[in-house]
DNA sequence: ATATCCGAGATTTTT
DNA sequence: TCTCGGATAT
């Protein structure tokens, strides 16, 4: 048998040997998906397909690099085009720039550049943004672009103020980008999609050229990517995609789950391969994950299974507060490492939001456990790096006004706001880029001799850099540092300057390495492109022996022997900002699923009974997801700390009304019964612990059922009687006790959540989102509204 | 041009 | 509680 197929299972083999026609590989977590892709590439090559006819697309550089490496092992010396979608888009756009109104030397703006540009556009055109931040507007524009809605097609939705502003800003922003010969990340896809759509001959040529297209993480593709892929696999429909609808966690970035759910409809002749065998996790971990995700409606059924051992029970722990949670986790890790049973790199701690990492970090430090946090502060996004590269950017693309504005007075050379204003005005009037306006400084009205001289000196700097532009990257950057005076400006020995200097040194080192790999000079554009599209989050190293701390999103695609997921609480996971749309709740559930399935041997989920968040201590509600997990695979622990007495909570008892949703009642009974039956008389503490955990879960169930989470859950609305009953159990309080985000109860409207507050004392008013009647503005002193807990 | 003060707002972030 | 950005003061 072919050596490429030897180590594969039957379904894997079926996918690898699939030659012509569309292919959908539904790959569960840990099912060897990357192997399938890389082996298929190698297999195609071995069957005589030219490597240049194969195109493989991923979402991250990390994934692309990893695959490239593995393909190189399987098929040495045969390079296929394997890159991220965006890089592929950039490559095509450089070739076909003119078709979409760009210069081939266009600049790629990152998110902050885009935001900056939007800001400038708003100022220049004096657009009334109704207080929507540039950030918010960019998000909306980005969403539109992901949906393939161009600036001139964009229509405001009636009733949406935001969209009305966007309708004004989007075309202006897009015009600015084109005038600057720049694109944002979304344009890299949008322009390509448009290009392929509008130019049949180019589409046909590329379709034929990229005869075999493969896509990883297909569940994360957006509309633009979908259209590009369709265009490239129409005459030669050899599109092979792999993905897992259950791991789609980027819906908020425009990913359209329907792309994968409806793949079979789009390509009727598709061959579907399911990789359901998991090689990663224990049976118990897998069953917990499987049962949880089974609560999603929008999915494709998969039967996950594994030959791995049962493993230990998944732990669910209720801690008294976040510090106990953090210290206990740190202590567990410290102890196992000290005993020599484990090493730090075996562990990972996941959280829903970055803000939750604090207590964990602190505890790790105190326990002396080495750890690394994976966070998106990227090297190329640092100010000093962007400053320096902006000079190169401007020389490479003289129309790049953004780069001009960034560099004109950085380092400071006495060119102030007024001067820039005049330049901008002049440029605007003549329809020329800022750099060109600067070249005409001597002719500009209102410029003193001194001002004009300063501007001329700046232009001189740009020209000096341009003179060496065809040399090595290191030389170009070196010239920037000297000519611009940037390096000299970092002369002080305060920490920040020193730090920046060090980063710049690092940049030079990086440039030198780049030059070695790309000899011959004149490669600055390629270098810039790399700086725009490669982020240094990829520098998370698996080599060093440290505990990994990261968000659930960042965890996708990784695996660890032991995983902790913290703050599995209502409002955190699922996050409180998920809207009323059930799809968003399902995405949160998938996020939990992703987290769980990262674990190979052990998994601990935990919540804190009280948590300090944004300065306020709040009692938490355990995540409703916990109630969707199989109790019999789990071990519920309160730990010492959970035994501390806490205030009587009227909701903290199982509700005994028999109305409403059966499944909830079943869950309640289930929990209660188990908490009692588990105590076999031996371990008293344990019994109490279970009791507390169960009671907490019960509270959550009661809340969820009452709809107290105000639209978060899909549960039915409470009856009037229920609302009144709940309400009467609650104490009356002073108006000033009410806080933003607080869950409250109203005798008539039932439970609700405070979304806004104003005034104090008897003037204190609250805007409350009720589950039943929507938003109401209420004067607290005159109302019977009470805190729910 | 820089210091500092206040208020608003505070998910996730492959590119 | 913390952080970022804008506005104001020096």
């Amino acid at each position: 048998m072919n050596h490429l197929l030897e180590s594969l299972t039957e379904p894997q083999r079926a996918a690898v040997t699939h030659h012509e026609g569309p292919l959908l590989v539904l790959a569960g977590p840990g099912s060897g998906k990357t192997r399938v892709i890389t082996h298929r590439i190698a297999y195609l090559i071995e069957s005589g397909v030219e490597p240049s006819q194969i195109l493989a697309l991923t979402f991250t550089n990390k994934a692309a690099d990893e695959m490239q490496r593995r393909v190189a092992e399987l098929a040495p010396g045969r390079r296929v085009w394997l890159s991220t979608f965006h890089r592929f888009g950039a490559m095509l756009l450089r070739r076909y720039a003119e078709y979409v109104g760009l210069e081939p030397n266009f600049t790629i703006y990152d998110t902050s550049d885009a935001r900056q540009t939007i800001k400038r556009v708003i100022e220049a055109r004096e657009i009334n943004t109704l207080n929507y931040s540039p950030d918010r507007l960019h998000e909306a524009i980005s969403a539109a672009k992901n949906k393939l809605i161009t600036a001139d097609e964009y229509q405001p939705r009636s009733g949406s103020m935001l969209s009305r502003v966007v309708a004004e800003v989007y075309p202006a922003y897009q015009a600015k980008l084109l005038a600057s010969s720049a694109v944002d990340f979304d344009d890299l896809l949008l322009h390509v999609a448009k290009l392929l759509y509008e130019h049949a001959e180019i589409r046909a040529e590329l379709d034929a050229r990229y005869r075999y297209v493969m896509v990883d993480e297909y569940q994360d593709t957006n509309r633009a990517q979908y259209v590009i892929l369709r265009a490239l696999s129409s005459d030669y429909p050899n599109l092979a995609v792999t993905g897992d609808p259950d791991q789609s966690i980027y819906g908020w970035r425009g990913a359209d789950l329907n792309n994968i759910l409806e793949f079979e409809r789009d390509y009727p002749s598709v061959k579907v391969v399911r990789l359901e065998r998991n090689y990663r996790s224990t049976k118990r971990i897998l069953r917990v994950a499987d049962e949880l995700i089974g609560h999603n409606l929008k999915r494709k059924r998969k039967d996950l299974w594994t030959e791995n051992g049962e493993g230990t029970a998944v732990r669910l722990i209720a801690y008294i507060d976040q510090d106990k949670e953090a210290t206990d986790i740190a202590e567990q890790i410290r102890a196992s490492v000290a005993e020599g049973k484990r090493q730090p790199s075996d562990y990972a701690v996941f959280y829903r939001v970055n803000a939750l990492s604090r207590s964990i970090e602190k505890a790790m430090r105190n326990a002396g456990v080495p750890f690394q946090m994976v966070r998106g502060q990227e090297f190329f996004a640092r100010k000093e790096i962007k400053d320096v590269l902006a000079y190169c950017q401007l020389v490479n693309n003289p129309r790049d006004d953004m780069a001009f504005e960034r560099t004109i007075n950085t380092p400071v050379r006495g060119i102030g706001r007024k001067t820039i204003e005049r330049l901008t005005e002049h440029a605007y009037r003549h329809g020329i880029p800022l750099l060109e306006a600067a070249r005409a400084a001597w002719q500009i009205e209102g410029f003193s001799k001194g001002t004009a001289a300063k501007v001329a000196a700046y232009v001189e700097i740009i020209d000096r850099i341009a003179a060496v532009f065809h040399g090595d990257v290191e030389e170009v950057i070196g010239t920037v540092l000297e000519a611009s005076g940037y390096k000299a400006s970092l002369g002080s020995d305060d920490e920040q300057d020193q730090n920046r200097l060090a980063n710049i040194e690092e940049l030079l080192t990086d440039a030198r390495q780049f030059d070695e790999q790309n000899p011959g000079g004149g490669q600055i554009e390629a270098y810039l492109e790399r700086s725009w599209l490669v982020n240094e989050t990829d520098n998370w190293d698996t080599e060093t022996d440290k505990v990994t701390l990261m968000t659930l999103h960042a965890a996708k695609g990784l695996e660890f022997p032991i995983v902790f997921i913290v703050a599995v609480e209502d409002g955190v996971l699922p996050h409180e900002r998920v809207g009323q749309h059930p799809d968003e709740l399902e995405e949160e559930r998938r996020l939990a699923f992703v987290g769980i399935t990262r674990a190979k041997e052990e998994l601990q989920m935990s919540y804190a009974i009280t948590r300090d968040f944004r300065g306020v201590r709040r009692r938490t509600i355990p995540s409703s997801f916990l109630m969707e997990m199989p109790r019999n695979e789990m071990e519920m622990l309160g730990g010492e700390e959970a035994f501390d007495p806490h205030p009587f909570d009227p909701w903290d008892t199982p509700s005994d009304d028999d109305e409403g949703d059966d499944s909830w009642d079943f869950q309640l009974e289930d929990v209660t019964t188990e908490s009692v039956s588990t105590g076999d008389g031996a371990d008293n503490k344990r019994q109490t612990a279970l009791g507390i955990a169960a009671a907490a879960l019960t509270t959550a169930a009661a809340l969820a059922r009452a709809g107290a989470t105000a639209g978060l859950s899909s549960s039915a609305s409470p009856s009037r009687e229920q609302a009144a009953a709940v309400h009467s159990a609650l104490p009356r309080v002073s108006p000033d006790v009410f806080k933003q985000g607080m869950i409250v109860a109203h005798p008539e409207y039932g439970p609700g959540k405070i979304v806004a507050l104003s005034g104090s004392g008897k003037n204190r008013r609250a805007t409350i989102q009720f589950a039943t009647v929507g938003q109401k503005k209420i004067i607290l002193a005159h109302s019977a509204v009470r805190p729910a807990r």
Side-chain angles (χ1 to χ4, degrees):
Chain A
M1 187 192 296
N2 185 300
H3 69 282
L4 287 169
L5 306 178
E6 268 166 18
S7 56
L8 302 177
T9 60
E10 198 41 56
Q12 289 177 336
R13 203 171 291 162
V16 167
T17 55
H18 175 85
H19 195 89
E20 301 267 309
L23 170 70
L24 169 62
V25 180
L26 287 169
S31 61
K33 177 189 58 157
T34 309
R35 278 190 90 196
V36 165
I37 298 172
T38 51
H39 280 246
R40 178 157 184 268
I41 292 172
Y43 192 80
L44 282 174
I45 294 173
E46 228 169 70
S47 346
V49 174
E50 273 304 310
S52 64
Q53 293 187 322
I54 300 175
L55 170 68
L57 298 172
T58 65
F59 278 84
T60 66
N61 292 298
K62 206 182 191 171
D65 293 346
E66 170 69 8
M67 282 191 198
Q68 192 70 264
R69 199 181 56 76
R70 285 166 72 164
V71 169
E73 273 171 23
L74 297 169
R78 316 294 304 272
R79 295 276 290 192
V80 302
W81 185 283
L82 203 167
S83 79
T84 64
F85 270 99
H86 289 83
R87 238 179 208 279
F88 176 68
M91 182 272 286
L92 285 187
L93 277 189
R94 296 233 181 260
R95 193 184 317 159
Y96 299 104
E98 59 193 294
Y99 289 84
V100 297
L102 291 166
E103 303 284 326
N105 58 356
F106 63 82
T107 307
I108 301 171
Y109 285 174
D110 70 12
T111 314
S112 74
D113 297 332
R115 199 177 46 208
Q116 202 64 29
T117 305
I118 286 175
K119 226 156 120 185
R120 285 289 126 78
V121 163
I122 289 167
E123 282 162 18
R125 309 238 177 158
E126 295 178 336
I127 297 172
N128 178 195
T129 59
L130 305 174
N131 262 334
Y132 287 113
S133 67
D135 221 1
R136 193 75 206 290
L137 294 167
H138 178 243
E139 236 169 63
I141 292 171
S142 174
K145 286 184 174 182
N146 287 159
K147 281 191 228 143
L148 228 47
I149 301 167
T150 58
D152 34 288
E153 289 162 0
Y154 189 91
Q155 292 294 328
R157 277 167 295 127
S158 66
S160 161
M161 297 308 268
L162 174 64
S163 77
R164 216 178 300 170
V165 178
V166 171
E168 245 188 296
V169 175
Y170 185 6
Y173 167 62
Q174 204 58 26
K176 179 73 194 173
L177 285 176
L178 279 182
S180 304
S181 192
V183 299
D184 61 21
F185 286 146
D186 305 311
D187 281 341
L188 289 173
L189 306 174
L190 179 62
H191 281 313
V192 170
K194 226 170 109 193
L195 171 80
L196 295 171
Y197 181 73
E198 287 173 357
H199 299 275
E201 72 293 348
I202 297 176
R203 190 212 59 75
E205 183 199 324
L206 293 172
D207 189 347
R209 156 102 210 258
Y210 299 110
R211 202 81 47 114
Y212 297 86
V213 179
M214 280 187 246
V215 182
D216 189 25
E217 308 275 20
Y218 187 70
Q219 78 279 356
D220 288 335
T221 50
N222 61 30
R223 182 85 202 152
Q225 285 155 332
Y226 170 85
V227 165
I228 292 170
L229 294 172
R230 284 229 84 160
L232 293 178
S233 32
S234 146
D235 304 331
Y236 300 90
N238 307 318
L239 175 62
V241 305
T242 65
D244 180 0
D246 292 337
Q247 292 183 64
S248 164
I249 56 176
Y250 285 100
W252 53 276
R253 289 283 283 105
D256 187 349
L257 197 48
N258 291 323
N259 288 167
I260 192 163
L261 293 178
E262 290 169 16
F263 193 81
E264 289 159 273
R265 200 203 58 196
D266 294 332
Y267 298 89
S269 63
V270 67
K271 176 177 174 90
V272 180
V273 174
R274 291 161 173 276
L275 303 181
E276 295 172 313
R277 175 167 173 193
N278 173 295
Y279 297 90
R280 180 186 294 154
S281 310
T282 65
K283 285 197 173 71
R284 296 177 100 156
I285 291 170
L286 204 60
R287 283 198 293 261
V288 169
D290 188 49
E291 192 152 329
L292 172 68
I293 203 65
H295 285 77
N296 271 9
L297 267 28
K298 274 190 98 171
R299 67 186 292 253
K300 280 178 186 283
R301 253 202 84 77
K302 276 195 310 293
D303 292 307
L304 298 178
W305 60 282
T306 183
E307 296 273 290
N308 294 345
E310 278 291 314
T312 54
V314 169
R315 292 193 300 281
L316 169 61
I317 306 194
Y319 294 103
I320 194 74
D321 60 28
Q322 78 255 284
D323 290 328
K324 292 281 185 192
E325 182 181 53
T327 50
D328 182 59
I329 290 170
E331 175 53 26
Q332 282 188 48
I333 297 174
R334 193 204 55 75
S336 295
V337 172
E339 284 172 45
K341 285 197 286 202
R342 296 285 184 179
Q343 54 186 94
S345 58
D346 288 339
Y347 294 92
V349 183
F350 302 151
Y351 32 83
R352 173 66 236 262
V353 295
N354 283 122
L356 290 166
S357 70
R358 274 175 171 271
S359 50
I360 316 276
E361 282 171 69
K362 202 174 103 195
M364 293 287 173
R365 236 182 304 259
N366 289 341
V369 175
F371 67 95
Q372 60 178 332
M373 262 207 302
V374 180
R375 187 104 75 132
Q377 231 310 343
E378 310 126 40
F379 182 68
F380 286 109
R382 287 183 203 158
K383 183 180 182 303
E384 58 277 18
I385 303 300
K386 290 198 74 164
D387 285 342
V388 171
L389 291 181
Y391 282 94
C392 304
Q393 212 169 291
L394 181 58
V395 173
N396 185 242
N397 171 13
R399 282 163 54 176
D400 187 346
D401 286 354
M402 168 99 240
F404 179 92
E405 287 195 52
R406 196 175 185 103
T407 52
I408 179 82
N409 200 34
T410 315
V412 287
R413 43 177 78 91
I415 300 177
R417 212 189 67 232
K418 269 252 110 62
T419 308
I420 296 171
E421 253 169 43
R422 291 229 169 84
L423 279 170
T424 309
E425 204 177 295
H426 182 87
Y428 187 74
R429 202 151 5 99
H430 296 263
I432 55 173
L434 286 171
L435 181 58
E436 211 174 305
R439 288 186 191 283
W442 297 106
Q443 282 92 63
I444 295 179
E445 218 179 310
F447 271 9
S448 68
K449 276 220 177 79
T451 307
K454 282 182 200 159
V455 173
Y458 164 77
V459 173
E460 176 72 17
I461 294 169
I462 300 300
D463 288 340
R464 273 176 64 195
I465 299 165
V468 298
F469 218 56
H470 292 283
D472 283 347
V473 175
E474 190 189 0
E475 186 191 353
V476 178
I477 294 177
T479 308
V480 169
L481 291 172
E482 297 309 325
S484 70
Y486 202 91
K487 202 167 183 178
S489 76
L490 297 176
S492 86
D493 41 32
D494 73 46
E495 207 183 308
Q496 195 180 43
D497 273 13
Q498 289 306 306
N499 214 335
R500 292 192 164 158
L501 221 44
N503 283 331
I504 284 173
E505 284 305 324
E506 209 178 314
L507 178 67
L508 281 168
T509 308
D510 182 71
R512 196 173 312 128
Q513 281 169 5
F514 182 87
D515 286 331
E516 277 161 23
Q517 286 155 19
N518 305 273
Q523 295 287 318
I524 188 81
E525 184 172 282
Y527 184 76
L528 285 173
E529 181 155 315
R530 197 186 65 129
S531 81
W532 295 323
L533 296 180
V534 176
N535 83 53
E536 294 288 296
T537 316
D538 309 343
N539 68 10
W540 170 68
D541 58 84
T542 35
E543 306 299 309
T544 61
D545 191 11
K546 291 176 178 167
V547 176
T548 299
L549 272 49
M550 53 169 54
T551 63
L552 286 162
H553 281 90
K556 195 173 81 164
L558 306 174
E559 60 177 29
F560 300 88
I562 306 174
V563 166
F564 294 90
I565 304 178
V566 300
V568 188
E569 293 154 19
D570 189 57
V572 178
L573 181 69
H575 196 273
E576 60 185 342
R577 288 204 20 185
V578 302
Q580 50 295 92
H581 204 73
D583 284 4
E584 293 182 53
L585 214 225
E586 296 209 347
E587 182 152 313
E588 295 288 308
R589 197 179 276 112
R590 291 194 291 268
L591 197 50
F593 175 79
V594 166
I596 292 168
T597 53
R598 302 307 97 194
K600 294 162 83 167
E601 297 163 32
E602 288 178 39
L603 171 66
Q604 167 178 323
M605 286 177 279
S606 60
Y607 59 89
I609 291 167
T610 62
R611 184 174 296 278
D612 294 340
F613 200 59
R614 291 186 201 152
V616 274
R617 172 158 301 183
R618 278 203 282 185
R619 296 213 67 191
T620 65
I621 301 166
S623 171
S624 53
F625 294 159
L626 293 171
M627 285 172 279
E628 300 172 347
M629 297 175 195
R631 208 72 72 229
N632 52 341
E633 307 291 350
M634 298 166 70
E635 181 184 18
M636 310 221 288
L637 299 167
E640 297 286 336
E641 43 291 296
F643 305 124
D644 294 4
H646 48 279
F648 172 67
D649 180 346
W651 287 40
D652 203 1
T653 47
S655 154
D656 55 7
D657 63 331
D658 40 19
E659 292 209 294
D661 194 328
D662 284 348
S663 65
W664 282 113
D665 281 282
F666 172 74
Q667 290 284 6
L668 289 180
E669 257 173 47
D670 197 17
V671 170
T672 327
T673 318
E674 177 153 339
S675 70
V676 174
S677 66
T678 321
D680 41 32
D683 194 344
N684 199 15
K685 254 185 179 177
R686 169 86 174 263
Q687 191 176 358
T688 321
L690 285 164
I692 288 172
L697 287 172
T698 310
T699 309
L703 271 170
R705 179 168 35 182
T709 41
L712 284 190
S713 66
S714 52
S715 57
S717 307
S719 69
R720 181 77 75 82
E721 292 77 358
Q722 277 174 322
V726 161
H727 182 265
S728 64
L730 299 169
R732 186 165 198 136
V733 299
S734 133
D736 295 302
V737 170
F738 292 91
K739 294 271 153 25
Q740 169 95 47
M742 196 178 251
I743 306 290
V744 297
H746 188 280
E748 201 174 329
Y749 305 140
K753 182 171 173 176
I754 299 186
V755 295
L757 281 164
S758 64
S760 66
K762 65 183 189 340
N763 290 323
R764 196 159 171 82
R765 291 150 199 268
T767 307
I768 302 174
Q769 176 74 41
F770 287 104
T772 44
V773 292
Q775 279 199 1
K776 293 267 176 198
K777 235 194 179 137
I778 278 173
I779 301 170
L780 292 164
H782 298 159
S783 163
V785 169
R786 297 174 191 179
R789 301 142 47 57

